[in-house]
Amino acid sequence: MEQRELTADETYSELISYIQENQIFKVMLVCDDSLRYLRIYKYLAEIEQASGIHIIYFSDFKPNPLYESVVRGVKWFRRHNCDAIIAIGGGSAIDVAKCIKLFSNMDPEKNYLCQEIIPNDIKLIAVPTTAGTGSESTRFAVIYYNNEKQSIAHDSCLPDAFMLDPSVLKSLPTYQKKSAALDALCHAIESFWSVNSTEESMRYSEESIKMIRENLEGYLANEEKCNNPILRAAHLAGKAINITETTAGHAMCYKLTSLYGIAHGHGAALCVGKLWPFMIEHIDRCTDPRGGKHLLEVFLKIARAMGCASVTEAAEKFQKILRDMELSVPVLRDDDMGILTKSVNPVRLKNNPVSLTIEMIEYLYRQILEEGNFVI
């Protein structure tokens, strides 16, 4: 499915036009707490009046959203007879909206996660408010059931339309900006070296990495001109992982975030920062059917996109980015290693270009967490 991009002008006229064109009369707006700080918030009433629709708000979820929150959202969607969904928020809001769409025509008396997904024509519009997840451009969603991550992948998850609005980034807290930007960078890097990479996905990854490299410093310094490139870079990284999926870096980061209460992008960057040089040193364990020579060429392409002359320099530059951000490293607790190693999704490891044993994963976790309480 080809998505439609809606331009975010001063009055959000393309969003209104899209609603009218698709004869949408009652829309569920899935949003997080950031909505009231955004420019689009004051236009919602005008959009409602101008387009003749009724907006039903739903915000009963938290970061790392629970299955139960989605169930409540499906009930809310059905109770109000909504015929479309708009998601305005970070990755969690968009993931919740995706799942509400998927589950809305399933049997409410059974666990939705155990039922076959039947595509529907409910329109889903995504407006990301962080430059990180790229969720507006993927067919994936993540929710948690019984404290376990549930990865949902289906073409119906891909939003029909999206809007990249740079103004939403103005009010982001500094830590959230850092974490989200790192998430986008990790998406681009992991997709680049994934065994599922294609010429198309690598173009998206390369462009995303270059845009982040050129604009990250200004973005974190609140230079408004850098907002749009960073938002676009996150979107491109999302398009890349929509083709390839992520690799060991993301597979290893999910439990870090829940165990230690750090943001997702923060955890992903900690993992990628140690995984990258490890894979360079163990390229002989390449699992990509295109071979070790191909993987080395990919590492070189990533290095060039990072503005570096060698693969080791690129991995070191990534570590420097983390040091400059002064992100802390959690302290490894005695009982956590078993939990961490058991949490790694073997499907994501199949996407990784270097074979990893359980012993290697444990070694990497110890490398990641060895500097507990100190900056990287």
Side-chain angles (χ1 to χ4, degrees), residues 66-134:
L66 303 179
Y67 168 80
E68 291 78 9
S69 296
V70 176
V71 171
R72 291 193 292 271
V74 173
K75 289 180 180 178
W76 200 243
F77 181 87
R78 288 172 168 161
R79 180 182 302 168
H80 292 279
N81 296 313
C82 297
D83 50 19
I85 303 171
I86 298 176
I88 303 178
S92 294
I94 297 176
D95 284 359
V96 167
K98 288 176 176 180
C99 291
I100 291 173
K101 173 184 175 175
L102 288 184
F103 300 162
S104 62
N105 62 342
M106 294 185 185
D107 185 350
E109 301 302 319
K110 300 177 182 178
N111 188 316
Y112 294 126
L113 297 173
C114 299
Q115 299 181 51
E116 179 183 357
I117 295 174
I118 301 173
N120 61 57
D121 58 0
I122 296 168
K123 293 295 183 184
L124 172 60
I125 307 163
V127 184
T129 58
T130 62
T133 67

Side-chain angles (χ1 to χ4, degrees), residues 185-199:
L185 184 55
C186 289
H187 282 164
I189 291 169
E190 289 188 61
S191 177
F192 217 140
W193 67 42
S194 170
V195 300
N196 300 320
S197 66
T198 64
E199 290 187 8

